[in-house]
Amino acid sequence: MTVSAEPASDRCATAGLVARRKRGRALEAPFYTGEEFFALDLAAIFAAHWIFVATEAEVPEPGDYVTVDLGRYSVILLRDDDEQVRAFHNVCRHRGARILSDAAGSTGNLVCGYHQWTYATDGALLHAGQQAPDFEKSCWGLKRVGLRSVEGLLFLCLAPEPPADFEEVAEQVRPYLAAHRLRHTKVAAQVDLVEHANWKLVMENNRECYHCEAGHPELTCTFFPTYGYRPDEIPDRLLPAHRRYLDASAELARECDRRGMPYEPIEELSGRPTAFRVQREALDGAGESYTRDGRAASRKLLGELDTPRLGRLSVHYQPNSWFHFLGDHAVTFSVLPLAVDRTLVRTTWLVHADAVEGTDYDLETLTDVWRRTNAQDGALVARAQAGVRDPAYEPGPYAPTESHVEEFVTWYIERLKEHQNR
Amino acid sequence: MTVSAEPASDRCATAGLVARRKRGRALEAPFYTGEEFFALDLAAIFAAHWIFVATEAEVPEPGDYVTVDLGRYSVILLRDDDEQVRAFHNVCRHRGARILSDAAGSTGNLVCGYHQWTYATDGALLHAGQQAPDFEKSCWGLKRVGLRSVEGLLFLCLAPEPPADFEEVAEQVRPYLAAHRLRHTKVAAQVDLVEHANWKLVMENNRECYHCEAGHPELTCTFFPTYGYRPDEIPDRLLPAHRRYLDASAELARECDRRGMPYEPIEELSGRPTAFRVQREALDGAGESYTRDGRAASRKLLGELDTPRLGRLSVHYQPNSWFHFLGDHAVTFSVLPLAVDRTLVRTTWLVHADAVEGTDYDLETLTDVWRRTNAQDGALVARAQAGVRDPAYEPGPYAPTESHVEEFVTWYIERLKEHQNR
Amino acid sequence: MTVSAEPASDRCATAGLVARRKRGRALEAPFYTGEEFFALDLAAIFAAHWIFVATEAEVPEPGDYVTVDLGRYSVILLRDDDEQVRAFHNVCRHRGARILSDAAGSTGNLVCGYHQWTYATDGALLHAGQQAPDFEKSCWGLKRVGLRSVEGLLFLCLAPEPPADFEEVAEQVRPYLAAHRLRHTKVAAQVDLVEHANWKLVMENNRECYHCEAGHPELTCTFFPTYGYRPDEIPDRLLPAHRRYLDASAELARECDRRGMPYEPIEELSGRPTAFRVQREALDGAGESYTRDGRAASRKLLGELDTPRLGRLSVHYQPNSWFHFLGDHAVTFSVLPLAVDRTLVRTTWLVHADAVEGTDYDLETLTDVWRRTNAQDGALVARAQAGVRDPAYEPGPYAPTESHVEEFVTWYIERLKEHQNR
């Protein structure tokens, strides 16, 4: 990634704060409020890791594209005629104009609107008007961006040398995803929410459910609020929920075993560049899907599934996403930093490619829980951002149920140290 | 105050400008336009001095609170069950979320909306959910902020070691205030005006009436435009006003002497941290109050006063306020910096606690003069801000009638030097 | 110009980028996106050169003024009683308030609205209220700004030592302008467009017509899209246009020769501070004016002209303007930087002073081509700005037809080097 070099004074300040990070405590304020850390995060995290940005379902046909803004970068994801999705920098090689302005669309050749430089869908420069005799077309194709699809989930990497462990992680996650056949889905809805908080506060908020009981009435209809507690730490008031969880988990295990579907957790949330967690877990209520009553929202189940009673396959992926795969739909979340205190959360609901809105599913029922939950989270993290920028803020202690928050923070600090040592 | 350390280059730049300040001249442009000076002002002035922010009348009952934003700080002023007003940082000790979002309200315990950490009205942490065994509640109470009430005027100080001379000043001012019994008032109106100028331009504008004749037609119905002139410097066109002033002053002196009320000026506008000026002075027109015709706006006089003909008891307080106490009402002004070129001026009108709107006073009549005068001042200082940021600006000479402006600037430079030498 | 000194780190960064500029390529991104370059451009270009800002037709009568914002400066251009236009800094010498707030108007003495300091139309201080005995009025007149009128085109220079070659350039350009008698015109229309791009992208866009064929359908009704091509480089598809151009040029030469009007190009777009290009060139279509069909838009020709078939006299002036003088009207363009990525383009249409709207000319017809062309250019340069701030941008090669862009860039780099060496 071409990043303007950090000033030396910034480098000293950030390194000092990274070094003195205290385990068991939240991060100090500048991590969430300092422009120097925002620049560092873009360079050390977002331009150096595989970032979840879209799904193949968003570009179903050859010529379909989406553009993704990541920091100052704009990247085109385009399905080429060979059905492969490729990624290019959205920058003309002539005088740098943006080539595609829309967030999504369909195109043949890529034509820059300024001087009509024309590129093939594989990025090769085809025409550039009248040029000097020594002009060498082959030198001026669109710049490629690394792209990987994991069962239809699209991850891009801006770094010339992406983290080497991505494929290994993908291999571990694929068996969990397979039955949901994401490549045979369509986008039922996509909602962009701009949250007024640093991207790490958005991620941290997602990594604990200490706030769920009071904060997310709709979510906790089906999400067990015991999430994050060790069995011996569960507070008394949550014991009834815990008993329901144990019963539902036992049933889920039977169903999965019968179908040969993996469900046991794999958790590697720190200690590696491509950190993740995957587990299929039981849902409360009717136990079928992420809806108010827990019943499936789409009658057309994903892939060839023969039952909706498969709980939620949840994937936490660092740095910037989480996913829930249900029997009847999937919902993906991508977190993209816009400014030190502003973050885009893009939520996408996927249903079976042949499901028909109004017949097989109702959009309101499908999207209700996460629309509301996202809005609630947006308000909560805005309060957190307002507070951490107060000079009186000092990092408080994490509760036991916030262990995944601490894992996220630990991973983040590891990544910054890795970046410093390069 | 926890302030991020100034970069060394900023420190040199500001110190150089402070050192070369020329008496008799306005300040150089960077004092009003430079981000480095805005940061310095927040640290050296607003986080280091006692700042007038509210009145006890705004929190009449136990549980009543206001929140005050001061730079990046938010402070809760809360009347506790023992009737004392206390101040806390509005920052949860867990992960830093803002606790109270509203500007004013009433509350029992203070509950953070994020994870329900719950604090008593004295700031002690009561509940924090499930915590590790070694979690020590007593370590995690809300952080206190220094607070003083001078006859019901509330001053806070963010510094761990506030200026030592505040109480001495309070002792000098209290006898002047006593008869107005501010603790037995209520808020009739409060207006926030955001002026588009540096806070010092707002204060300087308040410290002279050279601009009043042309600029404030409503104010000068009762405010003598001879303010700031030495008797031998009064221009000819103001001599009739000066004669009226002398007559009205003589009458006021008699009325005060008869009641044992102090009225002579005490002026210490520089040379000390807690700089101030207090004087009871005559009003023009009917001479009773700060209204268009000079008549009292409230039939219910403050305290036990037996006449409204007591002129205006005016207090100038540095860094950020001025006050006028009349027989029938009081009006307070608090100046809070929002950005290098944006300043909040909060004006509060207080009347007798038992006065009834519509019966004892008319809100329009009560607030008319200062609403208009504030709006006029807002336009004037915005013009001044626009001009001082022009590179062609160079500080011009103060006229004799601007001596209090110069005193303010002198005090300000003293305070910056004091801060540099710490 | 009083400019706050550049920090040393900025100076090194900008100097390095200036030194490594590669001929034949667009500039690197920081020139268009860096705050350090924006500050440098204001100092080294806009405060150091003669800048075209207005025409005498905008201040036809004594007392008429316009105010011009240039960076943080505001300048008053005022026609004095002796009919001369003079320029003053729009900053009161007392405490710096803006004197005139409106963009244009008519005034007698200049009275500051703050404390009524009053200046004559020649800038002398007349009144300043009551002052100390040693106050010397003659020291506090308005500060003058350098101003030159070239046949009614007004150029200001903020530098104490303006470029010495301006008068020499004016002497070369005057014979071309004379017949259009700009001092005997009036403003038919003036439109301000804020383009979302760095000012240099706006200028570069104006210096080539490689983008015109696809980008400017209305302009290319009369503007030959062969502009910028050497005869041997003209692409085949433009050969018919080139043949029309050769015919029209031959006719134009005859008309000019008959009237003794110069038309040959003078091109000095780099190698000197006051760089320019002047040429009278043929128009396509009816060949009379810059309209959709090429016919004159005003029946009242400029000056004493006896035919509208005089093509377009086009002047390119660096740093910030271009002009087209037709037989029936003139159109001027002034480019003023507002922010690193925001630029004001002010377009002014001038017609004969006695022309009557509705009778002699129709405003829509007169302004149509350049209103549309400006809007198209605004969209194009916004795309370019969006792209050059992408970290994936790297400067591409200029085509042969972009030679004037390269000249502009060369001139700009020369000017920065000159500034560095002072």
Side-chain angles (χ1 to χ4, degrees), chain B residues 49-52 155 166 169 203 207 269 273-277 315-323 408:
Chain B
H49 291 77
W50 289 99
I51 305 298
F52 171 70
F155 296 80
F166 184 80
V169 168
M203 292 301 295
R207 294 301 188 245
L269 289 172
T274 306
F276 74 107
R277 184 182 196 285
V315 178
H316 283 193
Y317 175 82
Q318 274 150 220
N320 84 315
S321 53
W322 60 94
F323 308 84
F408 170 75

Side-chain angles (χ1 to χ4, degrees), chain A residues 214-273:
Chain A
H216 296 313
E218 295 83 9
L219 183 73
T220 50
C221 293
T222 56
F223 186 90
F224 288 103
T226 49
Y227 176 86
Y229 286 100
R230 286 204 318 253
D232 59 326
E233 284 168 340
I234 292 170
D236 289 352
R237 73 183 187 291
L238 295 181
L239 287 177
H242 184 54
R243 279 188 292 270
R244 289 201 307 280
Y245 171 75
L246 291 177
D247 291 347
S249 298
E251 189 208 322
L252 176 65
R254 284 194 301 275
E255 296 287 338
C256 289
D257 286 339
R258 181 174 307 154
R259 291 169 178 82
M261 292 168 71
Y263 55 90
E264 292 288 356
I266 310 176
E267 181 173 311
E268 302 190 19
L269 288 171
S270 60
R272 63 182 307 161

Side-chain angles (χ1 to χ4, degrees), chain C residues 5-18 36-37 40 419-420:
Chain C
E6 290 166 76
S9 60
D10 279 6
R11 209 156 44 234
C12 298
T14 56
L17 283 157
V18 166
E36 69 285 7
F37 271 101
L40 182 57
H419 180 80
Q420 283 165 2

